[in-house]
C-alpha cells in the first residue's frame, strides 16, 4: 500500500493486518508524496494507492493516472476541516474562516522539487498563507500544532487512536469556495489488474472505517 499522509489509511491497514491469523507475513505500507503514490502503483511496487481529488486537481490528476495506466475508485466525499490542537485559540469556534487563520502557520507536506500545486496533499494550496511550514511526516505536523498553534486543512476524518486525543477538526469556511464537498478520497489500481485477496480485504476495511467516521462527523 502507498498512501498520502492519511491516518485513516494507516488505521485500515492496522485492522486488515490484525485479521490475519498467521505466524509469518510480510506487508508494506508507504506514506509518501502524491507523485510517488502514483508511480508506486504504476510500477507495481504497491497494489493500491490512496489519494484524493478536488475541484482544483481533478483534471490534472486524472490525466496523470490515465498516462500511467491507472484508474481511480471513489471511497468517500468529505467537506473541508481545519485540523488544530484542542488548545488552539480558535478551538471553541463552530467553524473557522480563512481570514481567522491568517495569524497562524499553515502546515503542508513537501512534494519535492518542481512539483505543481496540483500535487499538493492539502486543499486550497493556491490560497495565500502569510505563514507556511513544509514538513515530511505526520508526527511533525502534530508537534507543530502543539508548539506553534499551527494548522492544516484536511478531510476531518482523523484517527484519534493513532494521532492521540489532543487534536480536533473544525469545519472550514471560505467565501466563494465550495467547502462542503471539497475532497473525494479514493484508491488507485492498475487498469490491467484485479485486486488480490489481501487488497480486497484492505479496501473493505478502509470503506468500513470511512463510513463509520463520516457518520460521526455528521452527528
Amino acid at each position: 500500500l502507498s498512501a498520502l499522509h492519511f491516518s485513516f489509511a494507516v488505521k485500515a491497514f492496522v485492522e486488515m493486518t490484525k485479521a490475519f491469523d498467521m505466524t509469518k507475513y510480510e506487508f508494506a505500507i508507504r506514506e509518501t508524496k502524491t507523485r510517488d503514490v502514483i508511480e508506486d502503483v504504476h510500477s507495481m511496487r504497491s497494489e493500491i494507492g490512496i489519494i484524493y481529488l478536488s475541484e482544483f486537481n481533478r483534471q490534472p490528476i486524472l490525466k496523470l493516472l490515465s498516462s500511467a495506466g491507472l484508474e481511480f475508485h471513489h471511497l468517500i466525499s468529505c467537506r473541508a476541516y481545519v485540523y488544530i490542537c484542542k488548545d488552539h485559540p480558535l478551538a471553541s469556534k463552530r467553524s473557522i474562516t480563512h481570514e481567522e487563520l491568517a495569524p497562524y502557520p499553515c502546515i503542508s507536506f513537501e512534494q519535492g522539487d518542481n512539483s505543481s500545486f496540483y500535487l499538493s496533499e492539502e486543499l486550497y494550496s493556491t490560497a495565500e498563507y502569510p505563514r507556511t511550514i513544509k514538513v515530511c511526516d505526520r508526527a511533525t505536523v502534530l508537534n507543530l500544532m502543539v508548539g506553534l498553534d499551527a494548522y492544516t486543512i484536511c478531510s476531518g476524518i482523523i484517527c484519534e487512536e493513532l494521532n492521540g486525543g489532543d487534536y480536533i477538526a473544525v469545519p472550514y469556511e471560505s467565501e466563494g469556495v465550495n467547502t462542503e464537498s471539497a475532497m473525494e478520497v479514493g484508491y488507485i489500481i492498475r487498469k490491467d489488474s484485479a485486486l488480490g485477496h489481501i487488497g480486497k480485504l484492505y479496501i473493505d476495511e478502509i470503506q468500513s472505517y470511512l463510513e463509520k467516521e463520516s457518520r460521526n462527523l455528521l452527528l
Side-chain angles (χ1 to χ4, degrees):
L1 170 72
S2 290
L4 300 182
H5 296 81
F6 295 143
S7 59
F8 56 77
V10 180
K11 173 61 174 175
F13 186 87
V14 169
E15 296 306 314
M16 180 209 71
T17 304
K18 286 180 179 178
F20 283 87
D21 183 18
M22 297 190 228
T23 56
K24 293 179 65 176
Y25 58 73
E26 182 176 342
F27 296 137
I29 181 170
R30 299 185 73 220
E31 282 191 326
T32 188
K33 306 175 182 69
T34 305
R35 191 180 296 277
D36 289 346
V37 174
I38 294 171
E39 177 55 32
D40 283 353
V41 181
H42 170 66
S43 66
M44 295 189 288
R45 182 177 188 179
S46 291
E47 182 180 17
I48 298 169
I50 307 295
I51 62 172
Y52 82 92
L53 301 179
S54 67
E55 183 178 333
F56 175 68
N57 75 7
R58 181 175 299 273
Q59 292 308 315
I61 293 294
L62 289 178
K63 186 175 180 180
L64 279 175
L65 296 179
S66 179
S67 298
L70 308 177
E71 55 189 18
F72 179 90
H73 295 265
H74 171 89
L75 286 170
I76 195 170
S77 292
C78 315
R79 68 158 297 149
Y81 283 79
V82 181
Y83 192 37
I84 52 177
C85 173
K86 68 179 182 181
D87 295 324
H88 192 282
L90 301 176
S92 63
K93 296 185 68 66
R94 294 178 63 87
S95 65
I96 299 175
T97 67
H98 181 73
E99 291 72 23
E100 289 172 319
L101 291 169
Y104 307 102
C106 178
I107 306 171
S108 62
F109 286 102
E110 288 185 340
Q111 292 295 322
D113 296 336
N114 303 316
S115 288
S116 74
F117 287 118
Y118 297 116
L119 299 176
S120 174
E121 290 190 42
E122 295 74 34
L123 291 162
Y124 316 122
S125 58
T126 58
E128 290 190 16
Y129 299 99
R131 300 168 177 83
T132 60
I133 301 174
K134 297 287 187 180
V135 302
C136 295
D137 63 87
R138 279 191 296 116
T140 302
V141 171
L142 301 180
N143 291 338
L144 292 174
M145 285 180 181
V146 174
L148 295 175
D149 285 334
Y151 71 93
T152 191
I153 307 295
C154 69
S155 67
I157 300 179
I158 309 299
C159 181
E160 184 174 314
E161 182 180 336
L162 298 181
N163 286 5
D166 294 330
Y167 310 92
I168 60 171
V170 181
Y172 175 70
E173 305 291 347
S174 184
E175 185 176 350
V177 174
N178 179 12
T179 58
E180 291 297 324
S181 57
M183 175 184 285
E184 180 185 6
V185 177
Y187 67 94
I188 57 175
I189 58 174
R190 291 179 61 91
K191 290 180 180 177
D192 59 1
S193 63
L195 281 175
H197 174 63
I198 295 175
K200 290 177 181 177
L201 288 176
Y202 176 76
I203 295 302
D204 287 345
E205 285 291 350
I206 196 169
Q207 286 177 326
S208 175
Y209 184 77
L210 289 173
E211 288 172 4
K212 180 185 70 174
E213 291 303 308
S214 65
R215 288 196 297 270
N216 290 340
L217 283 173
L218 295 174
L219 295 177

